[in-house]
Amino acid sequence: MRNALQRKRRRIFICLGAMGITWLVMGILMAILGTAPFGDHSLAIADAKVQYLDFFHYYKDVLDGNNSIIYSLTNGMGSNSIGLFSYYLASPLNLILFFFDSAQMNTVIDILIFLKIGLASGSFACFLQGRLYDRLSPLFTVLLSVCYGLMHYSFFNGSNVMWLDGMVLLPLMLLGTHLT
């Protein structure tokens, strides 16, 4: 019983370590590049700048009670907004919009990218430990997990913030299929 508890704590510590190191590296990179919240630049490029900023402004209005998720006139001539919400805005992490003003949407996108890349590293560490049954040393588990989170795909697709949810959930889905 005691060994199982120690193993569980060790696994949690490894997952948190992978997330923490990834967030540390991301924080240093964001500070060096001067991206929000450390400067005026933003990771919001391409689709994030053209599309997601407007979507987040709309979602902020919904959360503030100034717009409806069911039907909105902000969709050109007006239409149902459930599809927009389900495809682009349904991530639970998007609820951090509660804590920001509409003028700070670039910061919101940068923080979402930061959070999701760290969570991807943590979920990959969980996958490695569950799939390999702790046969991989904790150091290599953390290093591989940090590499997974910081791979080119995560930064390239940071402009499509919703796709980073897939990076977080994929290792957990793979682990779930392995364990069944």
Side-chain angles (χ1 to χ4, degrees), residues 107-121:
T107 304
V108 169
I109 287 181
D110 290 352
I111 290 173
L112 282 172
I113 292 170
F114 176 84
L115 288 173
K116 289 179 182 186
I117 289 175
L119 289 171
S121 292

Side-chain angles (χ1 to χ4, degrees), residues 31-132:
I32 289 171
L33 295 174
T35 61
F38 301 108
D40 295 335
H41 300 292
S42 177
L43 297 173
I45 58 169
D47 286 347
K49 189 177 240 176
V50 175
Q51 222 175 358
Y52 285 94
L53 289 175
D54 289 336
F55 291 160
F56 283 141
H57 281 287
Y58 159 74
Y59 192 42
K60 176 68 175 164
D61 284 346
V62 169
L63 293 175
D64 289 342
N66 300 328
N67 214 331
S68 171
I69 227 160
I70 309 272
Y71 187 85
S72 176
L73 288 172
T74 60
N75 292 342
M77 296 296 285
S79 68
N80 188 335
S81 299
I82 297 291
L84 171 72
F85 173 77
S86 336
Y87 189 70
Y88 291 102
L89 302 170
S91 173
L93 291 175
N94 289 348
L95 293 174
I96 68 167
L97 285 168
F98 273 124
F99 305 108
F100 293 92
D101 293 330
S102 291
Q104 297 174 307
M105 289 303 139
N106 283 329
T107 304
V108 169
I109 287 181
D110 290 352
I111 290 173
L112 282 172
I113 292 170
F114 176 84
L115 288 173
K116 289 179 182 186
I117 289 175
L119 289 171
S121 292
S123 69
F124 193 72
C126 290
F127 166 73
L128 287 176
Q129 293 176 87
R131 177 65 177 93
L132 300 176

Side-chain angles (χ1 to χ4, degrees), residues 138-175:
L139 176 66
F140 284 123
T141 301
V142 170
L143 285 176
L144 287 172
S145 300
V146 169
C147 289
Y148 174 77
L150 296 176
M151 69 178 159
H152 179 262
Y153 179 88
S154 58
F155 290 102
F156 183 74
N157 287 312
S159 63
N160 293 307
V161 181
M162 66 171 190
W163 290 0
L164 295 178
D165 291 339
M167 280 187 63
V168 175
L169 295 175
L170 178 64
L172 301 176
M173 289 187 291
L174 291 173
L175 182 60

